[in-house]
């Protein structure tokens, strides 16, 4: 019951964040295609962030399928994750408006890194509540993707000072890694998700 | 359970999208009726998009009544549909602000086409999960409306270059087709929705 | 099940509408109390609309406690109600920004009237689905408040041309009528809501 | 059942309020870190309000775990609380934009005070519905934190006229008091939240 309410609140904040990002996409004043093309960098940054927030939602969905106890600490760990996710529309807007310039890309990378760390904390808090032998612990223990992502985010930071496009390549790489759903969790869950 | 969370997230994004569209409707600064009439094209585009998003919500409601299994692929197919739906406030705003000019109408038509394709993909992924003999497969197999809509959307694209109002007539036609609830799905569902 | 999803979607749209109204309340640029006072008419219109939307939510909550069947027509009747409710932030903003001038007050009154008519339609559609002897039909049949409200809204329209403050007095009067929860519905529901 | 709908609506409004606050964080136009630093006061006020709204959500979550009856009065007491919570993005924006100047800090303190009073009213209404011997009444009776918070808020008001930073210290102090989850409620709930 507490789990349902936590999931619903998480989903509501994520739904609002993913949708208000589109408010950064201001309709251009003229009616020519050229004016729309001017919004292209903002549009590309919107797609990237939409996919990232989508990945967090899908992973949260899979992870909480295994969760069956909620503590006060887990509520706060989720709020902490939501805090960093709620900043994505801001950092996305800054990056898109400045056509993927160096500093906005660095800040965007830091935001993604903070989200990844917050997700890791959230999953460790859940392991603490469920115990070392639980399905939750097994799912986190096998989490190679999470570790690889953290390394790539850290790599994207110095790369931005060489060329911000290299950082963006890192962002796309991490998105691709996560895009493919985690077969192992799905196997534990069976077909009955 | 997974189904409930998918439905709730879908509804939350749709609810936000349908409501933030009204933010494009900026209250005019003067207090005269003439100033309100200046907002009329934006208001008309708002009504059109409200009905379209409403149609997707009603159809999703009917379709997921039949769904009883959720896979990772279905989560992503729904996120893909939500991506295109979340762009509707943007393309609606561009079209309304430019009084239904040619290019904004073309972009709006492309957005509706993308939504329709995304919905089709979503329903085929669900058929893949439920199998050929399932209620889901039967509902999709009979889906004449979906095919007719796709044809009308494709037709609306060249028509915009003749007169954007012809494209708008197409949009209204598709809305009318879908407005009438699909009696066949309702029959499968019985009165117990 | 279908009922839960309809309620959740209704609540999500209402929650977004009630909260984005606050976006009309732009923080003043100076830090003096006088600048905050300049936002007072917008603030008063915000309070009024918050209470009105709250009344619709509470009434919907009570009414759907009695509902146990959902039809396609009921989905559309709810979307129709949500359409007029979603316009309230717009008409509220226009009325507040123009310090309760005549035309904005007329438009606001029309918006409230449209909401009331849409709610009436929605309840009659529900009665059609549940039958004349149902609890739903009994609750609607006794609905004196709804009829009185419609009369007061109609009265508020010509009064705006004499003095818009008279219309505002009508709005406050209707709010007070509804503010007091409908004891009869609560009695049918018992303590177990 | 009514409880679930009340919780979901509360969560939806809170989720929207917590997320639209980020819209006050306008992406700066330049791409230099200095421009981002200019947004620092707004960012700090955002963090503070995020934590405050988070505290209300966590406390509401814990409190409604014990609630098992809903009355019309409880619906209105929750709407009253949501009204003051929905103003937080506005008062936060005013305070951040004016770099924690005196009057905006006073208004922010009044907003927090109003939220605290509204929460107290809401909990007393719930006690009235559940009776003096109920778990709800026991949880409220032991509520030392609530009383201490009210005193600190009242203290923060005159302090703002000496130095607004002293008021901000009060805000941080109250946040810290609440940040630690109420062990007693958790004990009543056991591990099964």
């Amino acid at each position: 019951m507490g789990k349902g309410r936590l999931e619903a609140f998480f989903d509501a904040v994520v739904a609002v964040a993913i949708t208000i990002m589109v408010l950064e996409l201001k309709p251009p004043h003229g009616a020519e295609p050229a004016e729309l093309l001017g919004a292209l960098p903002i549009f590309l940054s919107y797609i990237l962030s939409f996919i990232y927030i989508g990945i967090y939602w899908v992973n949260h969905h899979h992870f909480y399928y295994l969760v069956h106890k909620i503590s006060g600490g887990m509520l706060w760990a989720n709020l902490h994750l939501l805090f960093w996710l709620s900043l994505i529309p801001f950092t996305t807007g800054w990056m898109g408006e400045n056509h993927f310039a160096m500093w906005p890309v660095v800040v965007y990378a830091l935001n993604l890194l903070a989200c990844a760390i917050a997700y890791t904390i959230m999953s460790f808090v859940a392991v603490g509540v469920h115990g070392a032998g639980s399905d939750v612990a097994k799912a986190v223990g096998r989490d190679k993707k999470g570790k690889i992502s953290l390394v790539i985010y850290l790599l994207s930071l110095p790369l931005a000072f060489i060329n911000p496009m290299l950082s963006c390549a890192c962002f796309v790489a991490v998105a691709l890694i996560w895009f493919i759903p985690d077969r192992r969790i799905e196997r534990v869950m069976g077909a009955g998700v």
Side-chain angles (χ1 to χ4, degrees), chain A residues 1 10 18 30 43 48 53 72 77 88 105 119:
Chain A
M1 186 194 297
F10 187 89
I18 216 170
F43 187 63
L48 188 66
I53 296 183
I88 286 184
V105 167
Y119 193 89

Side-chain angles (χ1 to χ4, degrees), chain A residues 14 17-18 21 49-58 85 88-89:
Chain A
V14 165
I18 216 170
M21 266 199 303
S49 294
F50 191 99
I51 292 173
Y52 263 104
I53 296 183
I55 289 167
Y56 276 99
W57 179 69
V58 170
L85 288 174
I88 286 184

Side-chain angles (χ1 to χ4, degrees), chain A residues 49-68:
Chain A
S49 294
F50 191 99
I51 292 173
Y52 263 104
I53 296 183
I55 289 167
Y56 276 99
W57 179 69
V58 170
N59 286 335
H60 198 272
H61 180 101
H62 282 79
F63 189 72
Y64 272 77
Y65 186 77
L66 305 174
V67 162
H68 53 88

Side-chain angles (χ1 to χ4, degrees), chain A residues 4-27:
Chain A
R5 189 168 178 190
L6 170 56
E7 288 179 330
F9 184 71
F10 187 89
D11 287 5
V13 174
V14 165
V16 177
I18 216 170
T19 322
I20 62 170
M21 266 199 303
V22 88
L23 292 177
E24 286 296 324
L25 282 167
K26 305 237 163 49

